[in-house]
Amino acid sequence: MPKVTFLPPGIEVEIVAGEDILTAAAAGDIHINASCGGDGTCGKCKVHTKGAKLQSRPTARLSEAELAQGYVLACQTPVYDDLTVEIPQEVELLSKGQTRIKTLTAGIDEWNRQLSELSADPPVVKAYLELPEPSLNDSVSDLTRITREVRRQLDVADVLIDLETTKQVPEVVRAGDWRITVTLYREAQHVRITKVEPGDTTGSHYALAVDIGTTTCSAQIIDLNSQKILAEASAYNAQVSYGEDVISRMVYAKKPEGQKVLQRKVVQTIDGLVKELNEKTGIDPAEIDVAVMSGNTVMTHLILGVGTDQIREAPYVSVFRFAPSVTSAELGFKQLFDVPIIFHPCVASYLGGDITSGIVAADVIKHEGLVLYIDIGTNGEIVLGNNEWLIGCSCSAGPAFEGAGVKDGIRSIDGAIERISIEPDTLETVFTTIGGKLPLGICGSGLIDLVAELFTAGVLDKRGKFHKDLETIRVRAGEYGWEYVVVWEQVAGVDRDIVITEVDVDNLMRAKAAVYAGITTLADSVGVALADLSEIMIAGSFGNYIKVEEAIAIGLLPDLPPDRFKFVGNCSLLGSAKAALSREILDRSAAVTRGLSYMELSADNTFMDKYMSALFLPHTDKSLFPSV
Ligand code: FES
């Protein structure tokens, strides 16, 4: 079997002859950018090779010079002999975890205030039982003794227990001298005993809340007694190595073992967060009694190991909306005790549990005025409505807002340019990077800033093309067409100039046009004028870092007064935290799933016209953007 050595970190992986370098990297848990999921279209999996003679599949993503120097696309290069693979510097930085994951610590106090106002009714409760000792006059079984008392305390008819928990009963009841604590999962028709412990352990009762993002996973540990978030942690979803967006993940899931790899990777990511929360709080993961999770429909299917092929192809049907009952052990979690995992339900293939969770957490369904709720990522998920009705849609924005699909685009890691302005007189740049590090590339919020600034400084025209007659050497003809040099190599953290090309601008314009067209199609379908919106809630971690004025300037967001925009943060995570404390939240989430009208944009014959009209800066109809 050929051996592939990855440098850095010097890991050797043996693979079956004919498997590609990307598969070898997956086997060795090594991160290689694979934005398109191994489809051969993104060119991000470029690596340098030494050793064996390789027969890559033809690609237009590498220049003749790169091929001659030994560069190949990892996903398009089968391996038959021993080989050394060098991973580019920026990928190495990412895989080493030298990344800044922005957390929500600033909002924790407000979130805790909201949690404290919920009337406590968690789906998983603990009950302390003082059981009568068995005697010749009362010789019922151990289990009957327990269920008899549970029925009395909780006023329930059916009490269930699984085999593994049953096996622990005789030892626990006797070790506790017939004083025990049972943990109970209250499902619709019955309660299920999920844990038995000697003595009174009701004082420690915790839940895990998780947002399974396509790019980032975030988790919080919740004290169910005090109704407080104790700590939170975030990490990149390890599935990122197998595709930047949900479409690419579904492409990868079709590879042999692909689905299993993706399922394992997201579980490993969350396990890592549990470990980090344990280090931060000292709370033993075994004391976590339930996990509530929310994710888009593809993420929810993938963590459960359920196929996604039918989501990718018309008519875009998911396998389920309400996830089946499942436990952490069934999904392969190593850090968690075998606890129930509850998922927020999904609405449709591209409107998932992250949205139902977010809508409920942000109280959209309590607003009398019209609310537009937008979660912008690789998919723009948009919901319009109030306390009487909801309508939603999803548009494919592509990965540009995540910094992918753009020549020098990167995710929000240390060294990513996140803010940028352009001096109108000199056309020189002033920028800041995440972590104050040397610039490595441009992340999503930086791209929005950059395009808005290039447009207002007159470097870009309204079609997104560079003016070629400007007195600056920053606009030039490059290898991939016309480009603007954002950072010269001499001051960059990579060994080349950092640029934005016309193709990049085009990608960003397509992304913003899709979102804006989605908003207007939704509003028109119910006869609502955008000016009638009382509030525009921008959810998701990306939303926290965009500047409203710049987003309006490129025509991404409607041109409305800034005070109508509200950044609501990662409401998907907040919805999971709330659901861990209150069954009513889960009921509301289910009601949103059942009551929200889903609009399939590809079936709407006005969407494409609106999209084409929005493919300008800021729009073909300038009257829609009077402030720009
Ligand atoms: Fe290889 Fe996209 S070209 S992952």
Side-chain angles (χ1 to χ4, degrees):
M1 290 209 298
K3 191 169 67 186
V4 183
T5 307
F6 289 93
L7 295 177
I11 290 176
E12 292 180 354
V13 180
E14 283 195 341
I15 55 166
V16 175
E19 285 188 331
D20 57 44
I21 297 173
L22 187 63
T23 306
D29 274 343
I30 291 156
H31 175 82
I32 288 182
N33 273 347
S35 299
C36 67
D39 216 17
T41 52
C42 70
K44 291 271 180 179
C45 63
K46 182 175 82 174
V47 291
H48 187 248
T49 57
K50 283 197 286 200
K53 195 161 169 36
L54 296 167
Q55 291 274 314
S56 291
R57 288 183 277 277
T59 176
R61 288 285 169 183
L62 293 176
S63 64
E64 288 297 323
E66 286 174 317
L67 288 167
Q69 287 165 20
Y71 285 100
V72 295
L73 295 185
C75 72
Q76 299 298 308
T77 309
V79 181
Y80 295 96
D81 296 301
D82 290 358
L83 179 72
T84 299
V85 174
E86 291 173 341
I87 299 172
Q89 182 196 18
E90 52 267 45
V91 177
E92 185 205 341
L93 287 171
L94 191 60
S95 61
K96 274 184 179 167
Q98 292 181 12
T99 58
R100 189 181 80 168
I101 302 279
K102 295 161 177 176
T103 57
L104 301 157
T105 312
I108 287 263
D109 288 347
E110 167 56 20
W111 284 23
N112 274 331
R113 187 193 64 71
Q114 292 186 31
L115 296 193
S116 70
E117 286 177 355
L118 292 172
S119 61
D121 179 28
V124 172
V125 295
K126 274 186 159 185
Y128 172 61
L129 311 178
E130 294 189 353
L131 303 169
E133 279 192 42
S135 67
L136 290 176
N137 293 330
D138 179 13
S139 59
V140 297
S141 69
D142 290 351
L143 216 47
T144 303
R145 201 168 295 279
I146 293 172
T147 54
R148 188 171 67 185
E149 186 60 18
V150 169
R151 276 195 198 93
R152 200 183 62 74
Q153 277 200 23
L154 271 77
D155 192 22
V156 289
D158 292 328
V159 183
L160 310 181
I161 185 167
D162 64 26
L163 178 61
E164 285 311 308
T165 315
T166 304
K167 286 179 188 170
Q168 295 160 23
V169 165
E171 209 176 307
V172 167
V173 288
R174 284 163 185 86
D177 201 16
W178 302 95
R179 275 140 181 75
I180 64 167
T181 301
V182 289
T183 304
L184 302 155
Y185 177 26
R186 301 189 291 172
E187 295 183 85
Q189 309 295 338
H190 51 251
V191 298
R192 181 182 298 277
I193 299 174
T194 57
K195 199 194 280 182
V196 286
E197 297 167 284
D200 183 356
T201 67
T202 51
S204 60
H205 187 26
Y206 304 98
L208 184 74
V210 181
D211 166 49
I212 312 168
T214 308
T215 305
T216 305
C217 292
S218 303
Q220 294 177 329
I221 189 161
I222 320 286
D223 184 337
L224 294 172
N225 288 324
S226 66
Q227 302 200 187
K228 275 203 168 113
I229 299 160
L230 301 181
E232 70 172 56
S234 297
Y236 285 118
N237 185 338
Q239 288 180 346
V240 164
S241 298
Y242 312 97
E244 295 270 359
D245 55 30
V246 290
I247 303 292
S248 310
R249 304 277 168 87
M250 288 191 280
V251 169
Y252 189 82
K254 275 187 80 81
K255 287 179 177 255
E257 300 291 304
Q259 196 164 300
K260 275 193 194 153
V261 169
L262 295 177
Q263 198 274 341
R264 186 164 46 89
K265 286 290 165 188
V266 68
V267 166
Q268 281 174 356
T269 304
I270 299 168
D271 256 342
L273 295 177
V274 174
K275 204 157 173 267
E276 195 180 328
L277 290 171
N278 159 249
E279 283 157 12
K280 282 182 175 175
T281 61
I283 292 164
D284 185 343
E287 293 180 76
I288 295 173
D289 296 320
V290 62
V292 182
M293 303 191 181
S294 49
N296 63 46
T297 309
V298 174
M299 287 302 113
T300 309
H301 277 58
L302 288 178
I303 192 173
L304 289 165
V306 176
T308 53
D309 290 357
Q310 61 298 323
I311 293 180
R312 195 159 68 93
E313 286 149 21
Y316 316 112
V317 176
S318 62
V319 175
F320 59 82
R321 290 194 301 165
F322 293 83
S325 196
V326 71
T327 71
S328 52
E330 287 173 292
L331 296 186
F333 280 92
K334 300 276 187 292
Q335 294 291 326
L336 291 170
F337 192 81
D338 191 13
V339 297
I341 300 197
I342 302 168
F343 290 90
H344 277 277
C346 305
V347 176
S349 285
Y350 293 101
L351 206 59
D354 51 344
I355 295 301
T356 52
S357 177
I359 293 276
V360 171
D363 281 337
V364 173
I365 48 179
K366 290 185 178 171
H367 273 251
E368 278 184 22
L370 268 180
V371 175
L372 184 70
Y373 180 97
I374 315 175
D375 192 334
I376 301 171
T378 50
N379 269 345
E381 292 156 323
I382 307 161
V383 174
L384 177 66
N386 57 17
N387 56 1
E388 291 182 355
W389 54 269
L390 292 170
I391 185 168
C393 68
S394 169
C395 52
S396 173
F401 291 135
E402 309 270 3
V406 171
K407 183 175 176 298
D408 285 322
I410 54 174
R411 295 199 303 276
S412 303
I413 62 171
D414 279 355
I417 296 171
E418 59 175 350
R419 287 272 166 265
I420 187 159
S421 61
I422 294 178
E423 298 290 332
D425 299 334
T426 60
L427 303 183
E428 292 297 296
T429 56
V430 179
F431 60 83
T432 57
T433 62
I434 296 176
K437 298 285 165 49
L438 283 177
L440 299 174
I442 315 160
C443 66
S445 58
L447 279 168
I448 291 177
D449 271 16
L450 180 56
V451 172
E453 289 284 311
L454 287 170
F455 176 55
T456 47
V459 180
L460 281 173
D461 67 18
K462 64 181 180 182
R463 297 168 306 140
K465 305 292 174 210
F466 289 112
H467 287 290
K468 319 253 167 22
D469 51 355
L470 300 169
E471 286 193 7
T472 174
I473 52 169
R474 285 183 181 263
V475 177
R476 68 185 187 190
E479 198 182 343
Y480 299 93
W482 282 89
E483 62 190 20
Y484 173 87
V485 180
V486 183
V487 182
W488 298 107
E489 179 182 346
Q490 293 85 335
V491 286
V494 287
D495 54 2
R496 61 177 188 279
D497 297 337
I498 295 173
V499 303
I500 181 168
T501 67
E502 273 186 354
V503 177
D504 298 338
V505 176
D506 201 47
N507 280 339
L508 193 79
M509 283 172 61
R510 285 173 201 277
K512 73 95 185 172
V515 173
Y516 189 77
I519 293 171
T520 48
T521 306
L522 211 53
D524 284 358
S525 73
V526 286
V528 164
L530 294 181
D532 294 338
L533 294 172
S534 64
E535 204 164 285
I536 298 107
M537 294 184 180
I538 302 173
S541 51
F542 173 71
N544 282 349
Y545 308 106
I546 60 173
K547 279 204 282 190
V548 167
E549 295 80 3
E550 305 285 35
I552 291 172
I554 65 164
L556 167 64
L557 295 175
D559 195 356
L560 294 171
D563 60 359
R564 292 206 212 162
F565 291 87
K566 183 176 170 190
F567 293 102
V568 292
N570 188 348
C571 266
S572 165
L573 181 60
L574 177 60
S576 286
K578 286 185 171 179
L581 281 163
S582 165
R583 288 189 293 177
E584 196 190 337
I585 297 292
L586 285 168
D587 290 344
R588 281 190 213 155
S589 199
V592 167
T593 291
R594 294 194 178 98
L596 192 150
S597 307
Y598 180 69
M599 186 175 185
E600 178 55 57
L601 289 178
S602 59
D604 183 281
N605 49 22
T606 68
F607 174 73
M608 199 36 91
D609 288 345
K610 291 189 168 79
Y611 171 72
M612 296 306 288
S613 302
L615 278 176
F616 283 79
L617 293 172
H619 197 275
T620 37
D621 183 354
K622 284 207 276 193
S623 69
L624 295 171
F625 291 86
S627 79
V628 179

